[in-house]
């Protein structure tokens, strides 16, 4: 990327608002005035803070492994397990370069893995509207690569978020990745039940169309009868 230079005023740059919450990003630009965001691929975690239950503070795990914090299933273990202690290896990609639209209205991921990582960051920061909009960018009807699968299962880091919009985002992810052959790292029946129970509190930007709700209810992964 020899044509790019670091924006001298990171906080004052026009695109700084788009990267709010992604503190480890670096804004770049070229002579044509196009802007980009360089984001290192570091494992984000949202620690539980008892005094701030809705905290959006993230901690970056620079060691590069999840240390088996959650069960990713045999499928993911076969695809991305490391040779060091049997831990789940995060993507081998060191960084993602995101294009910033000229309107400064949204960020453009380059590929499925970069879209999944941006979705992970938005979801952990509780930016549900942005996360919901990104869901269509992670749609896939083919098997995910090891790097993509590692980020996909890392979405479980936000499973403790029980906000109405969080359930909507997880359902949308399940819907657009349902044909990939990979099961999302949450219980779809539970998510659908919570979504329906909190439906009156789901924001308009995260509300699933009736056709999508019906597709989910018809899924074999949802138990309608006990």
């Amino acid at each position: 990327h020899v044509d790019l230079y670091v924006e001298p005023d990171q906080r004052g740059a026009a695109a700084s608002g788009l990267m709010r919450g992604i503190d480890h990003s670096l804004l770049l630009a070229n002579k044509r005035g196009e802007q980009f965001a360089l984001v290192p691929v570091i494992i984000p975690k949202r620690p539980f803070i008892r005094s701030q239950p809705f905290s959006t503070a993230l901690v970056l795990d620079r060691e590069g492994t999840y240390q088996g914090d959650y069960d990713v299933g045999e499928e993911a273990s076969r695809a991305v397990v490391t040779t060091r202690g049997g831990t789940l290896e995060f993507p081998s990609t060191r960084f993602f370069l995101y294009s910033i639209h000229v309107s400064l209205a949204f960020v453009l991921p380059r590929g499925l893995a970069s879209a999944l990582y941006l979705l992970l960051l938005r979801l952990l920061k509780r930016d549900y509207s942005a996360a919901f909009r990104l869901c269509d960018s992670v749609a896939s009807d083919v098997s995910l690569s090891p790097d993509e699968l590692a980020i996909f299962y890392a979405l479980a880091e936000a499973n403790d978020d029980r906000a109405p919009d969080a359930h909507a985002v997880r359902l949308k992810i399940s819907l657009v990745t349902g044909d990939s052959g990979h099961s999302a790292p949450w219980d779809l029946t539970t998510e659908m039940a919570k979504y329906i129970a909190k439906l009156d509190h789901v924001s308009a930007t995260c509300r699933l169309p009736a056709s999508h709700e019906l597709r989910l209810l018809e899924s074999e992964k949802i138990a309608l009868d006990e």
Side-chain angles (χ1 to χ4, degrees):
H1 308 292
V2 294
D3 62 327
L4 301 180
Y5 61 87
V6 177
E7 282 280 8
D9 186 3
Q10 291 286 306
R11 293 187 177 181
S16 61
L18 278 178
M19 306 312 294
R20 187 176 296 114
I22 307 178
D23 299 331
H24 60 302
S25 64
L26 183 67
L27 289 176
L28 307 175
N30 58 25
K31 293 182 178 180
R32 296 185 295 276
E34 299 169 331
Q35 293 187 305
F36 303 84
L38 184 71
V39 182
V41 183
I42 303 173
I43 297 175
K45 291 175 176 287
R46 186 179 61 206
F48 174 72
I49 303 175
R50 187 178 298 275
S51 60
Q52 299 179 32
F54 302 105
S55 170
T56 60
L58 300 185
V59 174
L60 301 177
D61 178 9
R62 299 179 185 274
E63 293 297 321
T65 56
Y66 269 99
Q67 306 298 332
D69 285 344
Y70 55 88
D71 182 12
V72 298
E74 295 181 0
E75 176 187 39
S77 298
R78 289 195 302 270
V80 295
V81 70
T82 69
T83 57
R84 298 176 301 172
T87 56
L88 178 63
E89 185 180 358
F90 212 58
S92 56
T93 303
R94 297 300 182 185
F95 64 87
F96 291 126
L97 185 67
Y98 297 93
S99 300
I100 296 174
H101 193 266
V102 65
S103 66
L104 303 179
F106 51 89
V107 179
L108 300 172
R110 297 182 176 183
L112 181 56
S114 67
L116 281 166
Y117 188 65
L118 185 58
L119 174 58
L120 171 62
L121 293 172
R122 297 300 193 200
L123 187 55
L124 286 173
K125 293 297 290 187
R126 304 183 196 272
D127 189 351
Y128 306 118
S129 295
F132 194 85
R133 290 194 300 269
L134 270 170
C135 287
D136 286 328
S137 299
V138 304
S140 178
D141 58 0
V142 297
S143 182
L144 304 181
S145 70
D147 279 2
E148 295 163 354
L149 193 60
I151 305 175
F152 180 66
Y153 279 105
L155 293 170
E157 287 291 311
N159 280 0
D160 61 345
D161 190 344
R162 298 178 178 86
D165 286 351
H167 296 303
V169 172
R170 286 192 281 270
L171 289 176
K172 180 70 172 182
I173 295 170
S174 296
L175 185 67
V176 300
T177 60
D179 294 330
S180 68
H182 304 291
S183 297
W186 47 74
D187 183 76
L188 194 54
T189 300
T190 300
E191 291 299 326
M192 192 68 193
K194 296 294 186 182
Y195 172 81
I196 293 173
K198 304 173 184 178
L199 189 58
D200 290 342
H201 303 286
V202 176
S203 66
T205 56
C206 296
R207 179 69 182 266
L208 292 166
S211 59
H212 289 181
E213 295 174 352
L214 184 59
R215 283 179 57 191
L216 286 166
L217 289 171
E218 292 175 343
S219 169
E220 295 179 352
K221 298 177 182 178
I222 287 186
L224 296 179
D225 300 310
E226 293 293 337

